[in-house]
Amino acid sequence: MTGVKAVTIVDVGPRDGFQPIGPFIPTDQKLTTIRQLHAAGLRRIEATAFVSDVAVPQLADAATIVQATQDLDGLEVQVLVPNLRHTERALAAGATRLAFVLSVSEKHNMNNVRRTPLDSVAEYARICAMLPEGVAMRINLATAFDCPFDGPVDPAEALDIIARVAAIKPDAELCLCDTTGRVTPDRVAALLGTARSRHPEVAQWAFHGHDTYGLGVANVIAATTAGLTVIDASVAGLGGCPFAPGATGNVATEDVVWTLERMGISTGIDLMALIAVAGEAAKLPGATAGGRVRDALVATLCRQEA
């Protein structure tokens, strides 16, 4: 154990969770969820993404979301960007924390952004070169452990991409993503341990896990045991997995909070307030919700009140 006493949870539900939902969620409803998450104690939320409105119509209101959340005290609003053009849109809307995504796996990167991983690395370098003062950057390395097309990713491939992006902007937050949810805790700990030892210059590391195979919380524990203090999760486990229809996707924020707090690791989040938000989010038409803690605590409260 490395003695992690507190973590920052980045709730990605309003972006990663809402993104695959078919029926358009009214902008005011999205903003209500973000404000409720903030009231529950979240201080960093991935609120939206600047992407093609045609490809992802659910996020067509990205500029409005960014502008309407700037008044929330202490909240860092993170937005995902896939390329330079959409980065410029995000900056024009007032975004101050960006998350650029590229995949270690060539097949996944080609499927996702129509580029090779090295082409995406070059695009990331161009974005970093034009960032204005005061804008924070995160680099999300998707398929760092496993590819939906090719299966397990060779750690050497991930380490090569990690070295390339770390050299471009070492003060960026570097997030390793288990895109498929198929990685096991031992592999999470091994890759994070090697990457951190090789790149002490990286200012901050993060982990983004999925719960498709029920390993989301276990992998979060592996990441915190490896010393990470920034963890992604999604309210109500929203997100789904496009490569496993019907499966849950992102690890549920409430599951992560419940587990870490019981381990003595502070999250700064009011669990019962979060449960209330998660209950409403799980009811969204077209949503694929996951997680266990929400249902367990609600059932316990019902029994106590009976």
Side-chain angles (χ1 to χ4, degrees):
M1 298 288 286
T2 57
V4 169
K5 298 299 182 184
V7 300
T8 296
I9 293 181
V10 183
D11 197 297
V12 300
R15 193 284 298 176
D16 204 359
F18 288 176
Q19 179 175 297
I21 294 176
F24 186 78
I25 303 167
T27 302
D28 285 346
Q29 189 170 1
K30 294 175 183 174
L31 290 170
T32 295
T33 299
I34 292 169
R35 289 173 182 138
Q36 290 173 335
L37 289 171
H38 174 260
L42 270 298
R43 288 299 175 264
R44 190 155 148 206
I45 299 173
E46 188 165 278
T48 189
F50 285 80
V51 292
S52 166
D53 295 351
V54 174
V56 191
Q58 185 64 258
L59 303 181
D61 54 1
T64 302
I65 295 292
V66 169
Q67 291 160 5
T69 52
Q70 292 180 344
D71 63 340
L72 293 175
D73 186 43
L75 179 65
E76 288 188 272
V77 177
Q78 179 173 298
V79 302
L80 184 138
V81 291
N83 57 37
L84 180 58
R85 179 169 66 88
H86 290 301
T87 297
E88 291 171 340
R89 288 181 56 220
L91 293 173
T96 57
R97 178 175 278 277
L98 307 179
F100 180 82
V101 60
L102 70 88
S103 303
V104 173
S105 160
E106 181 159 346
K107 283 187 181 178
H108 190 266
N109 208 60
M110 290 297 296
N111 185 73
N112 201 31
V113 294
R114 304 293 187 269
R115 288 192 177 97
T116 68
L118 291 184
D119 286 340
S120 284
V121 169
E123 183 81 340
Y124 174 65
R126 288 189 285 270
I127 289 170
C128 290
M130 56 81 70
L131 283 181
E133 189 77 22
V135 174
M137 174 59 76
R138 170 197 269 212
I139 175 73
N140 284 332
L141 295 188
T143 65
F145 305 92
D146 188 85
C147 171
F149 305 110
D150 291 331
V153 170
D154 185 341
E157 293 183 42
L159 290 166
D160 176 66
I161 297 295
I162 289 168
R164 292 174 186 272
V165 298
I168 292 168
K169 189 171 176 61
D171 63 342
E173 183 176 85
L174 205 162
C175 181
L176 301 187
C177 307
D178 173 25
T179 303
T180 64
R182 292 193 295 233
V183 73
T184 49
D186 57 326
R187 292 181 58 214
V188 171
L191 183 58
L192 285 171
T194 301
R196 294 186 73 210
S197 65
R198 289 188 184 183
H199 299 285
E201 75 279 11
V202 172
Q204 185 65 267
W205 296 85
F207 176 73
H208 177 108
H210 281 201
D211 200 38
T212 311
Y213 289 81
L215 292 169
V217 171
N219 287 330
V220 165
I221 294 171
T224 58
T225 300
L228 268 66
T229 58
V230 179
I231 301 294
D232 285 4
S234 177
V235 61
L238 293 182
C241 177
F243 305 106
T248 56
N250 293 290
V251 61
T253 307
E254 56 271 25
D255 288 15
V256 173
V257 171
W258 185 88
T259 303
L260 294 183
E261 291 285 351
R262 289 174 78 87
M263 293 174 63
I265 300 174
S266 176
T267 64
I269 296 170
D270 181 333
L271 179 59
M272 296 315 296
L274 176 63
I275 291 291
V277 185
E280 291 303 310
K283 297 175 186 175
L284 286 168
T288 300
R292 297 295 185 92
V293 167
R294 180 180 69 259
D295 290 342
L297 289 183
V298 169
T300 298
L301 290 174
C302 289
R303 285 196 299 270
Q304 291 173 347
E305 294 171 358

